[in-house]
Amino acid sequence: MAIKIYELCAADEAVLFSPHCWKTRMSLAHKGIDHESSATPFSKVAGIENGAGRRVPVIRDGGTVVEESFAIAKYLDETYPDAPHLVGGVAGASLTSLIINWSQTQVHPAVVKLCLMDIYNTLAPADQEHFRTTREKMFGKSLEEFQAQFDMQDYSGLKAALLPLELTLKGQNFIGGETPLFADYVVFGPLQWLRVVKGIDAIPLEGKVAEWFNTLLDMYGGMARSTPLAQPAAAA
Amino acid sequence: MAIKIYELCAADEAVLFSPHCWKTRMSLAHKGIDHESSATPFSKVAGIENGAGRRVPVIRDGGTVVEESFAIAKYLDETYPDAPHLVGGVAGASLTSLIINWSQTQVHPAVVKLCLMDIYNTLAPADQEHFRTTREKMFGKSLEEFQAQFDMQDYSGLKAALLPLELTLKGQNFIGGETPLFADYVVFGPLQWLRVVKGIDAIPLEGKVAEWFNTLLDMYGGMARSTPLAQPAAAA
């Protein structure tokens, strides 16, 4: 039976861009579990599965609802132990926590500087309002003022944030070693986010990180490669 | 039988400050293996165990010589599988690689800005010469010019570098989870380096990171807490 995944979507419901939802999409593919996607705009996220204040991704697996990508990965390993593991057991899960916090505090901010207005422009009007209100409160300035601080074509900050990954990939194929683990999808998520909202198949990554990202885009039948990209020209 | 560990020392041979050697000291204690220390000044490191171009730490375990702290941790897990594991198996080792590269590129530079001249001042004259030559080539400026760029009392850069760890420790006791793994010693190493060369028992860390660091200092009979600190007043 397929697992249902509630995923954030753009004005075009086929455009799925959330970094956290991509972590879960890749996790399900890694496990070889079919998924049924329920595209959900920002303004509908809180009420998913009769929730209050939910955040995507949320999955429903039969009678079980699980929220948040790392919790989902651990659930999948516990529930489907015969499929390839995602977190690497108790030790792997603990180590993965630091990698998640590194990605969230280093890689995500570097991505946001490159594409905040791109994200905004992909959304439907009601979701643009939600996005503007929550993000302007977070940044303490308007979206436009935030974006004006950064050159949306300057990838040097992202490249610097990814240095620990670049060095790691000189010695192994994936963060997980010979094959990917959930930790790979943790860093893949924000890069796929950037790729989808910018509507650029080949975002300008370099070196081993570029090779690794392209490999992940092509895995699982090219699921991540073939996902519809935003059409920036049509927006705004 | 005790394992011999070649460790970097200051002018005072009792002062052991190398971050990488501390990773191995803690690894041996974690495994419950006695060690015999061979204090080695900078200028003698390359020739350890008839080597050419060696880097500390180096261990000799009976007839086996192993160099570099991560290689040593993996060797100890393979050779002493019944003692508590250090790297968490194949998956754990792969994930640890990213944590090593994060620490090396984020935590180490933040520590060096706080204590480059402190390190220099702890060394014997012949080693000061070696340290000056190699580091000035690396930084492209004199030690004094490098240090003058940074306030040696401003810990904000180190605190920022440690943010992923602080967030992780809100949810678990150690990077390794309930108990430490080698990944904990990877980040402990540079902080102990700072503590020893500054000669300050309580370096001004904050929050969960401070609790975690103090816990590690007190583990294994307080080995890391009780190591002799440099005496900055007597130097230079």
Side-chain angles (χ1 to χ4, degrees):
Chain A
M1 191 176 65
I3 286 182
K4 185 169 185 175
I5 170 173
Y6 295 90
E7 311 184 81
L8 201 61
C9 65
D12 177 351
E13 287 198 353
V15 175
L16 305 168
F17 62 88
S18 157
H20 308 293
C21 295
W22 274 103
K23 296 177 195 175
T24 294
R25 285 206 136 210
M26 296 296 276
S27 296
L28 290 167
H30 179 109
K31 283 287 194 188
I33 297 171
D34 287 338
H35 70 267
E36 174 197 336
S37 178
S38 179
T40 311
F42 264 120
S43 47
K44 302 279 177 63
V45 165
I48 287 170
E49 286 281 353
N50 304 315
R54 283 202 192 275
R55 302 176 70 176
V56 281
V58 176
I59 64 163
R60 169 175 282 282
D61 183 18
T64 305
V65 175
V66 189
E67 181 175 333
E68 197 270 315
S69 62
F70 191 28
I72 293 169
K74 288 186 277 193
Y75 166 82
L76 293 173
D77 272 357
E78 283 160 20
T79 311
Y80 304 97
D82 295 336
H85 62 80
L86 278 162
V87 299
V90 174
S94 300
L95 296 166
T96 299
S97 291
L98 182 61
I99 294 173
I100 291 169
N101 285 312
W102 162 71
S103 182
Q104 195 68 38
T105 58
Q106 302 292 318
V107 182
H108 282 236
V111 167
V112 169
K113 290 172 184 174
L114 285 164
C115 70
L116 185 76
M117 289 311 300
D118 293 316
I119 301 170
Y120 180 79
N121 288 332
T122 64
L123 302 176
D127 299 307
Q128 286 186 327
E129 184 59 32
H130 171 90
F131 186 80
R132 181 179 288 283
T133 306
T134 53
R135 269 55 180 181
E136 292 189 347
K137 189 172 173 189
M138 190 187 302
F139 298 131
K141 55 188 68 172
S142 76
L143 298 182
E144 291 77 6
E145 285 167 339
F146 176 89
Q147 191 66 78
Q149 299 173 280
F150 308 107
D151 178 349
M152 294 175 80
Q153 305 303 323
D154 178 5
Y155 281 70
S156 61
L158 179 59
K159 187 179 168 187
L162 292 169
L163 179 59
L165 177 58
E166 180 68 22
L167 296 173
T168 301
L169 296 174
K170 288 184 192 297
Q172 58 198 55
N173 293 333
F174 297 95
I175 301 174
E178 290 295 310
T179 55
L181 286 174
F182 179 69
D184 288 273
Y185 310 138
V186 165
V187 194
F188 175 83
L191 300 178
Q192 173 77 331
W193 181 27
L194 181 63
R195 177 177 171 269
V196 171
V197 297
K198 279 207 175 290
I200 300 172
D201 179 43
I203 52 172
L205 300 171
E206 293 174 10
K208 292 289 179 184
V209 168
E211 284 178 38
W212 163 89
F213 186 60
N214 279 312
T215 300
L216 289 170
L217 284 173
D218 292 331
M219 285 181 83
Y220 314 126
M223 175 186 74
R225 171 81 73 193
S226 62
T227 197
L229 305 180
Q231 302 289 327
Chain B
M1 191 178 67
I3 286 182
K4 184 170 187 175
I5 170 174
Y6 295 89
E7 310 183 83
L8 202 61
C9 67
D12 176 351
E13 287 199 353
V15 175
L16 304 168
F17 62 87
S18 157
H20 307 294
C21 295
W22 273 102
K23 296 177 194 174
T24 294
R25 284 207 137 209
M26 297 297 276
S27 296
L28 289 167
H30 180 109
K31 283 287 193 187
I33 297 170
D34 287 338
H35 69 266
E36 174 197 335
S37 178
S38 178
T40 311
F42 264 120
S43 47
K44 302 279 177 63
V45 165
I48 288 170
E49 287 282 353
N50 304 315
R54 282 202 191 276
R55 302 177 69 176
V56 281
V58 176
I59 63 164
R60 168 175 283 283
D61 184 17
T64 305
V65 175
V66 189
E67 181 175 334
E68 196 272 313
S69 63
F70 191 29
I72 292 169
K74 289 185 279 193
Y75 165 81
L76 294 173
D77 272 358
E78 283 159 20
T79 311
Y80 304 97
D82 295 336
H85 62 79
L86 279 162
V87 299
V90 174
S94 300
L95 296 166
T96 299
S97 291
L98 183 60
I99 295 173
I100 292 169
N101 285 311
W102 162 71
S103 181
Q104 193 69 38
T105 58
Q106 302 293 319
V107 183
H108 281 238
V111 167
V112 168
K113 290 172 185 174
L114 286 163
C115 69
L116 185 76
M117 289 311 300
D118 293 317
I119 301 169
Y120 180 79
N121 288 332
T122 64
L123 302 176
D127 299 308
Q128 286 186 326
E129 184 58 33
H130 171 89
F131 187 80
R132 182 179 288 282
T133 305
T134 54
R135 271 53 181 181
E136 292 190 348
K137 189 173 174 188
M138 190 187 300
F139 297 131
K141 55 188 69 170
S142 76
L143 298 182
E144 290 77 7
E145 285 167 340
F146 177 89
Q147 190 66 76
Q149 298 172 280
F150 309 107
D151 178 351
M152 294 177 79
Q153 306 302 324
D154 178 5
Y155 281 70
S156 61
L158 179 60
K159 187 179 167 188
L162 292 169
L163 178 60
L165 177 59
E166 180 69 22
L167 296 172
T168 300
L169 297 174
K170 290 184 192 296
Q172 59 199 55
N173 293 334
F174 296 95
I175 302 173
E178 291 296 308
T179 53
L181 287 174
F182 179 69
D184 288 272
Y185 310 137
V186 165
V187 194
F188 175 84
L191 300 178
Q192 173 77 333
W193 181 27
L194 182 62
R195 177 177 172 271
V196 171
V197 298
K198 279 208 175 291
I200 300 172
D201 179 42
I203 53 172
L205 300 171
E206 293 174 10
K208 293 289 180 184
V209 168
E211 284 178 38
W212 163 89
F213 186 60
N214 279 312
T215 300
L216 289 171
L217 284 173
D218 293 331
M219 286 181 82
Y220 314 126
M223 174 186 74
R225 171 81 72 193
S226 61
T227 198
L229 305 180
Q231 301 291 328

